[in-house]
Amino acid sequence: MTKRKIRRKLNIKTRAIRPRKIAQKKGKQPGAIIYVGDREGMASSVNIMEYNWDHLQEYSLASMTELEKQRDSNTNSWIDIIGISDEKFIEDLGKKFEINNLALEDAINTQQRPKIDEYDNYIFGVFKMLYLDDNQQLVVEHIALTLFKHNVLVFQELKGDVFNGVRERLRNRTGKIRAKGADYLFFALIDAVVDSYFEVSENIFERIDTLEDEVYYDPKPDTARKIQELKKEVIRMHKWIFPVKEMIHRLIETDNPMISKDTRLYLRDALDHCIEINETLQIYREMSISLMEMYMTSVSNKMNEVMKVLTIMASIFIPLTFIAGIYGMNFEYMPELNWRYGYSVVLALMLIILVGMLIFFKKKRWI
Amino acid sequence: MTKRKIRRKLNIKTRAIRPRKIAQKKGKQPGAIIYVGDREGMASSVNIMEYNWDHLQEYSLASMTELEKQRDSNTNSWIDIIGISDEKFIEDLGKKFEINNLALEDAINTQQRPKIDEYDNYIFGVFKMLYLDDNQQLVVEHIALTLFKHNVLVFQELKGDVFNGVRERLRNRTGKIRAKGADYLFFALIDAVVDSYFEVSENIFERIDTLEDEVYYDPKPDTARKIQELKKEVIRMHKWIFPVKEMIHRLIETDNPMISKDTRLYLRDALDHCIEINETLQIYREMSISLMEMYMTSVSNKMNEVMKVLTIMASIFIPLTFIAGIYGMNFEYMPELNWRYGYSVVLALMLIILVGMLIFFKKKRWI
Amino acid sequence: MTKRKIRRKLNIKTRAIRPRKIAQKKGKQPGAIIYVGDREGMASSVNIMEYNWDHLQEYSLASMTELEKQRDSNTNSWIDIIGISDEKFIEDLGKKFEINNLALEDAINTQQRPKIDEYDNYIFGVFKMLYLDDNQQLVVEHIALTLFKHNVLVFQELKGDVFNGVRERLRNRTGKIRAKGADYLFFALIDAVVDSYFEVSENIFERIDTLEDEVYYDPKPDTARKIQELKKEVIRMHKWIFPVKEMIHRLIETDNPMISKDTRLYLRDALDHCIEINETLQIYREMSISLMEMYMTSVSNKMNEVMKVLTIMASIFIPLTFIAGIYGMNFEYMPELNWRYGYSVVLALMLIILVGMLIFFKKKRWI
Amino acid sequence: MTKRKIRRKLNIKTRAIRPRKIAQKKGKQPGAIIYVGDREGMASSVNIMEYNWDHLQEYSLASMTELEKQRDSNTNSWIDIIGISDEKFIEDLGKKFEINNLALEDAINTQQRPKIDEYDNYIFGVFKMLYLDDNQQLVVEHIALTLFKHNVLVFQELKGDVFNGVRERLRNRTGKIRAKGADYLFFALIDAVVDSYFEVSENIFERIDTLEDEVYYDPKPDTARKIQELKKEVIRMHKWIFPVKEMIHRLIETDNPMISKDTRLYLRDALDHCIEINETLQIYREMSISLMEMYMTSVSNKMNEVMKVLTIMASIFIPLTFIAGIYGMNFEYMPELNWRYGYSVVLALMLIILVGMLIFFKKKRWI
Amino acid sequence: MTKRKIRRKLNIKTRAIRPRKIAQKKGKQPGAIIYVGDREGMASSVNIMEYNWDHLQEYSLASMTELEKQRDSNTNSWIDIIGISDEKFIEDLGKKFEINNLALEDAINTQQRPKIDEYDNYIFGVFKMLYLDDNQQLVVEHIALTLFKHNVLVFQELKGDVFNGVRERLRNRTGKIRAKGADYLFFALIDAVVDSYFEVSENIFERIDTLEDEVYYDPKPDTARKIQELKKEVIRMHKWIFPVKEMIHRLIETDNPMISKDTRLYLRDALDHCIEINETLQIYREMSISLMEMYMTSVSNKMNEVMKVLTIMASIFIPLTFIAGIYGMNFEYMPELNWRYGYSVVLALMLIILVGMLIFFKKKRWI
């Protein structure tokens, strides 16, 4: 991987934990409906699924007036707004449903952290869908859900989402989704979002698994970088997922009559999943700390090994070279030089030193 | 141990903290009764112990209709369902006892974290039995307990369990278990599960003990890996054990009349044990951190020792070799070479340097 | 960068977390209105914006008596006091508005930590504006806001501030700010302060980004210092920003009728931003820890590389030199010396050792 | 110290944080009165102090029936049961005082963590006495106190205890202990237990003091082990002492009329001591972490010193040896060799290099 | 600094976090009025300031009976007891004011941690004054304040204190201290104690500043020790200051009529200061951790530099020496030796190797 590529990857990762881009909103009053995000210039389209137990109708919104029909009808409907950068359109739509400007502002501010706000006639929630793109990069998509008595409005940035399972259940009448109210649909969408977290966390898990192998059998300088990136990714996921636990808890505990007792039972189930995903992220964090520790340990151990080789080589040959040096001196009077077996005796002496050294290092368990 | 074996072991350990396998449930509605786990394809069998103070009857369930008898009878019974991958069977059984689908779903989702839910006619709890298999590997078995007025339903994955003590007490009329209601049986089963944690924690303790020896007397690169594995194991146990404390607390505090005042007293005892096991795990965690610290220290100390040997050898012989080198030069005019005692004087000089160096290192306490 | 410059920069940074300068207040009674800070000797000037939906008037205060008019009028006004080191002036002004001495003391004590106090007729809050000066150094400006029924008093140290957006909205009648009460202005000012935190945090983010590059590709001893400085800066920001969350929360929850239900809705929005900025600071803290870890890792890795080069060079040439040493000895009887191919054989032997060593190091993956 | 001795010491220390020995209780029903501990086979003896302001009587219990007299009398008495491994005896005694089996079980389970349980007629508490044996080893003795209207039952494992001060005050009528009720005696015993923690913590303090000296002036590999042992000891003490704070707090807050208002005032004093001892342990923990840090630092500093010696020696002599090597070459045409002052010039050159090197290292502040 | 001096300094520092000296109180009943501390044998003297708006009288107490006059008079008075080791005197004085023995015990136990206790007729508080002696050593002086309806009793160990500012305000009628009740005096004294913490923390700040310089520009082994000492000092201050926050909070919240609404307002101000000093200590703690980290980093960086010098020297000269060694061999048949330019060629070869090495190290950015 070239440095530039690494850089680009890092940039993507790091940008994700950047504070919200304020330039876009600077000096504007609160409640100003301004799109904040990277996916500008997309036209908004609205898909509507109108359903009750007996019939289901899917269509795209042609004109704003059709919305009024949905708003006033007693049939449940899922109004799915795709593309939120058209501020004018969003504002008009908001007026039809009498959504507070503060809520609308959050609906199209992709930097808004997850939250639930209860208003008089509706419940408004901001969530983050997490999924992996084709390059296995984590994508965070901002999403806003609004529950009315008979309608659920969904604001999403991009076309793809994690709601296909819900759509299928509506179409095929699986389970009781079509027999129940809009609050159940609201729950089902939240549940799908929470399920998306598991999928992403599965991917994190696999990366930990791979890194564990790398750390134990082949640690490279690059490995440390990968571990840190992983940690950053977990921190980032935590940021988006952590508030959801509290949000679902509030939905269960609220005395708002829009959420039926039955739906609360299901929300309790989703809460359970949220707790679990948070625990899992916590464990991932601890594992990435362990990985870093192991990496440092393995670096130290390698250093130790390097030092041992050096010490063994030097400790054996430096004394031997010294002996050779002595008999390389040119003194006139050096009796040993003239002895018949001088050379052999010195060679034998060197051998003894060599063996002695080896035994010494063996005893120290260095070799 | 070959690398492959290590790998396999690691895999087993790491898999245990994997997020729940979502592929099996993807796109299904909440409450869909689907087995999630690794032990598929096992037929379900049902063992029933019907008892009061005077009589005890044990038998295997032949047909579903026998269950109705138990359900409606006023005698206490322990209905033990072994094997939970037969989804159809579980669903039928659930209908007989009017168990909510959300509860049934959790009963056969082995990835479900421990929890207690109170329904109108029953209390439903998910626990994890922990025990060691023949290879001393930690096995986590999913278990679900359901308390009715006169019945306790137990859903378990595999044949073996930690309830033999309870069975014996029922058979031998030990203590007052046969004189008390189903709620006491419910408690006794929870108590047996909590006791199983102690047994596993005893094993962890022994491994810490062994590792402590290894770190102090013979640290190897592999030791660090073992310490990290231990830590991971403790994290994993904590994940399954931690929620139980809160669960038992809720059973004690609930105003549900199904749990008698007397049983609450016993539950308080189990709560005590739960608090203790959690404290123990906390201590284990701190000990594994200490072990890692000690390991790093001992690696550093060994490095120090290696460096000292190198430094001593090099510092002694490099200057000596240099002196030998001087008198190995071939200059024509080198008066020392022709002196009668030149050689002896140089040898004496070398000895002095050697002794001086040794004294220097002795003073520095390196030798 | 010279040492002196570094020092000066450090001094600036470190001073910022110094405890309040007590010499200035020593031995004075509580409630003594004494300016504590570094910007002494500035004359106070007062700018007033008087507004309702229909008209807006901006003027500078000429004499104290004009204030009484504002105090008693039913039109909203924003009374902006710039320069707070003229203790006498502040005291007179305080008396006109019947502000408690304890509050006045805090208004001109720039070491006062952020807080909200509710008095009978007014709400008094101390905040810190954060912004970057021309050298990209973080500047902290002390600010005190006081909300009366129809007036908002602002005490600020210096001329520049972060309220120009609010001024423009007042002048241009943007949003509904001129239609609403003084409490909304109070909120708008707090909101502008909170927004200033985002701007500064954006700068921190860019420094982390740069440091990340430096750590990965070119770590220098100086890098560690920069990381630590960054950490100190985050700690410092946290000190000023953290209490604001609780303060806004109290404004939302208070039963004080001066804050309308509508304004509370807006404050909830500001609270949201406060929570986010605190989360962001938390993430920055974790990232600076990661950076330090990575730095240490890269230092260790470099050391490893250095050691490897040394070991390879020494391990290859020390044995070869030894062999050369042997045949440099001057023994009379050394048969090899007289062999025809002695020299060639020794050279060949050396080559073999050289190649052997290279293979050994290759296998160890050191080269 | 031989390795074996170290091992034995470690074993003692480590065993202390072992989970309760479950083999002894496996498969038994809750409430089974079974001794769990290491001091088996000791006969139980019972010492009774019966007292009011006017008289005091001390005697050993001869037969169980004498107990009934005490139970029913209105004089206060301290019934001290020494030796708790005789399960039959404990059970009989328990029946006489109508103590719940769950309490009795805890009274003789030495692995039971500290706790307070309130029953209808009595308050039951488990504590740990800490003291040092003759080898300065920490001994943990399990103790159970039971407060009745006029009696205090004490269950203790061994003969010695920390209550001699209380006995003396009873015998000598010091303070008002004989004028007050059984609840004051109960308090006095708890107070004596809490005081015992201070004595042990004093010993820990002295060990920290000694280790601090060792780390600063003479760190050895063994030092790290001692620090870790210290940390383990503190963790262990924390385990036994921490719950006591909450326990005393509950005694103060309870609405149980057995504890007089006056005694609560004294308990508040004991609570204070408990808070202090917990704070002290917390500080010890931080100090042991600091010690470990200092140890690592001193190991690094020593390594640095070793490396410097090596580097200085090698850097000075390796170039010199090289020069000597050059003039040791046997080339036929080497003009320098025949120069009259060749040898002197080379020696001078060597001296210059030597001095240059020394200046270089001096400038680097290595020597 | 000699080792002995360091030792003595360490002793002073370490003693400060020693658990209270129990030998002095062993076996005594609770409420026994025994002086615990290091400043024994000092005679007690009592200074009284009697004041109301119109007059002020200062005098030293001659006999105990004068106290009764103060006790029963309606004029406010500050009764300042200096020297608390005369147990008999303290006990008599306590009886005159009907102070509970438990409070008196704490008043003269210098190891008592800070606390507030409310009794029927008075409020009793223990605090610690912190100040620096002439050697800039931190001195902790135990102090006890007792608030009666018209009197404030102050127990202090030594003559000097931090209350001179309060005395001056009383004498000079500064502020409204003489117009207000004893509760305001009580507050003023607490406020002076809290202010003393700032002065000490200023000193800590300067030491951090100096150490920062030392770590960055001239780290020595001693530096680490100084950092650790600093950390210990901060821990120690935290121990004495932390409880004060809670204590003042309790004074504000109590429904005790002795503390007027007006005084509570002032106490809220003192609480603010207390929160700030605690935050500052927290920041100091984090800074000392950062300092230690930086120290370790600088040690590692220095090691790296040392290693580089060694590696460069060795890597350059070891190969050169080897070449010289080859041509120092005494083989009969070595053609190069007889070549006319053999010597020059070898020298040139050596030069090439030297330059090559230098380029290599330059490229690696080691030189």
Side-chain angles (χ1 to χ4, degrees), chain B residues 212-213 279 307 330 333, chain D residues 7 113 232 307 327 340:
Chain B
E212 206 164 49
D213 265 19
E279 272 180 0
M307 291 306 303
N330 297 321
Y333 181 73
Chain D
R7 187 77 286 261
R113 68 191 291 273
K232 224 194 279 176
M307 291 307 303
Y327 295 103
R340 179 64 183 88

Side-chain angles (χ1 to χ4, degrees), chain A residues 116-134:
Chain A
I116 283 281
D117 281 334
E118 286 178 58
Y119 291 87
D120 288 345
N121 303 316
Y122 53 95
I123 297 175
F124 174 80
V126 168
F127 294 84
K128 303 288 164 178
M129 283 194 288
L130 304 185
Y131 52 83
L132 300 169
D133 67 8
D134 301 341

Side-chain angles (χ1 to χ4, degrees), chain A residues 3 6-7 10-11 14-15 17-22 26-31 100 102 105-106 109 111-113 115 117-120 218 220-221 224-225 228-229 231-232 235 239 242-243 285 292 295-296 299-300 302-303 305-307 309-310 313-314 317-318 320-321 323-325 327-330 336-340 342-343 346-347 350, chain C residues 165-166 169 174-176 184 187-188 191 195 198-202 205-206 208-209 212-213 216-217 261-262 265-266 268-269 272-273 275-277 279-280 283-284 286-287 289-291 293-294 296-297 300-301 303-304 307-308 310-311 314-316 318-319 321-322 325-336 357 360-361 364-366:
Chain A
K3 285 199 178 186
I6 297 177
R7 186 77 286 257
L10 275 176
N11 275 343
T14 308
R15 209 183 46 207
I17 23 184
R18 192 171 219 155
R20 66 176 189 155
K21 224 171 165 184
I22 47 163
K26 194 159 172 168
K28 297 294 168 77
Q29 78 277 19
N100 189 304
L102 283 173
E105 181 191 12
D106 292 338
N109 174 357
Q111 301 287 351
Q112 174 60 43
R113 69 191 289 273
K115 69 165 179 179
D117 281 334
E118 286 178 58
Y119 291 87
D120 288 345
D218 189 15
K220 285 168 288 199
R225 193 180 55 68
Q228 295 292 355
E229 258 175 58
K231 218 158 116 192
K232 223 194 282 175
I235 290 174
K239 186 182 168 177
F242 182 73
R285 205 180 277 216
M292 203 64 205
Y295 178 78
M296 289 306 284
V299 167
S300 284
K302 276 174 84 173
M303 176 94 82
E305 206 193 346
V306 170
M307 291 306 303
V309 168
L310 174 61
M313 293 305 285
F317 286 105
I318 286 180
L320 297 185
T321 303
I323 292 175
Y327 294 103
M329 292 194 296
N330 297 319
E336 299 96 320
L337 295 182
N338 307 313
W339 293 351
R340 179 66 183 85
Y343 180 49
V346 164
L347 284 188
M350 287 173 170
Chain C
V166 181
R169 272 151 60 199
T174 322
K176 292 171 187 163
Y184 186 86
F187 148 74
D191 195 50
D195 270 0
F198 280 95
E199 216 154 335
V200 175
S201 102
E202 181 91 350
F205 172 79
E206 267 152 35
I208 289 179
D209 208 41
E212 205 164 49
D213 264 21
Y216 283 125
Y217 305 122
K261 204 192 147 198
D262 189 53
L265 216 63
Y266 285 100
R268 218 164 62 178
D269 202 56
D272 248 37
H273 296 172
I275 292 170
E276 199 190 330
I277 192 81
E279 271 180 0
T280 303
I283 288 176
Y284 286 172
E286 294 191 35
M287 283 175 85
I289 292 169
S290 280
L291 277 178
E293 245 176 61
M294 273 313 295
M296 289 306 285
T297 303
S300 284
N301 276 324
M303 175 94 83
N304 241 339
M307 291 306 303
K308 273 185 199 165
L310 174 61
T311 302
S315 300
I316 287 176
I318 286 179
T321 303
F322 164 64
I326 285 185
Y327 294 103
M329 293 194 295
N330 297 320
F331 284 102
E332 220 157 70
Y333 182 73
M334 285 181 67
E336 297 95 320
M357 278 295 182
F360 174 74
F361 290 126
K364 275 202 174 301
R365 308 182 126 232
W366 293 1

Side-chain angles (χ1 to χ4, degrees), chain B residues 178-315:
Chain B
R178 270 180 44 194
K180 302 198 176 202
D183 59 331
Y184 186 87
L185 176 62
F186 188 63
F187 148 74
L189 296 175
I190 291 174
D191 194 50
V193 167
V194 171
D195 272 359
S196 80
Y197 302 155
F198 281 94
E199 218 154 335
V200 173
S201 100
E202 181 90 350
N203 169 266
I204 297 275
F205 173 78
E206 268 151 34
R207 281 167 60 194
I208 289 179
D209 209 41
T210 312
L211 277 171
E212 206 164 49
D213 265 19
E214 207 170 309
V215 165
Y216 284 125
Y217 307 122
D218 188 16
K220 286 168 289 197
D222 198 44
T223 310
R225 190 178 57 67
K226 284 192 208 157
I227 299 171
Q228 295 293 354
E229 258 176 57
L230 184 90
K231 216 159 119 192
K232 222 194 281 176
E233 198 107 332
V234 173
I235 291 174
R236 190 185 164 195
M237 284 181 63
H238 182 260
K239 186 182 168 176
W240 298 129
I241 295 177
F242 183 72
V244 178
K245 195 169 81 179
E246 187 50 34
M247 289 158 65
I248 298 183
H249 191 78
R250 268 186 57 195
L251 285 176
I252 297 173
E253 298 295 322
T254 184
D255 52 7
N256 197 319
M258 285 174 70
I259 304 200
S260 69
K261 203 191 147 200
D262 189 55
T263 299
R264 280 165 214 250
L265 216 64
Y266 285 100
L267 281 168
R268 218 164 64 176
D269 201 58
L271 179 59
D272 250 37
H273 296 171
C274 242
I275 292 171
E276 200 193 328
I277 192 81
N278 274 301
E279 272 180 0
T280 303
L281 287 180
Q282 184 56 32
I283 289 177
Y284 286 172
R285 205 181 277 215
E286 293 190 36
M287 285 175 83
S288 67
I289 291 169
S290 281
L291 277 178
M292 203 65 206
E293 245 176 62
M294 274 311 298
Y295 178 78
M296 290 306 284
T297 304
S298 82
V299 166
S300 283
N301 275 324
K302 277 173 84 173
M303 175 95 82
N304 241 337
E305 205 193 345
V306 170
M307 291 306 303
K308 272 185 199 165
V309 168
L310 175 60
T311 301
I312 291 167
M313 294 305 286
S315 301

Side-chain angles (χ1 to χ4, degrees), chain A residues 142-177:
Chain A
H142 174 79
I143 200 161
L145 307 179
T146 324
L147 170 65
F148 290 87
K149 200 159 167 38
H150 294 293
N151 301 296
V152 176
L153 258 74
V154 174
F155 297 83
Q156 49 174 312
E157 282 188 273
L158 298 172
K159 195 136 198 181
D161 58 30
V162 297
F163 300 143
N164 283 334
V166 180
R167 283 190 191 93
E168 284 314 305
R169 271 150 60 198
L170 275 172
R171 284 174 194 139
N172 306 338
R173 252 199 292 206
T174 323
K176 291 172 187 160
I177 189 164

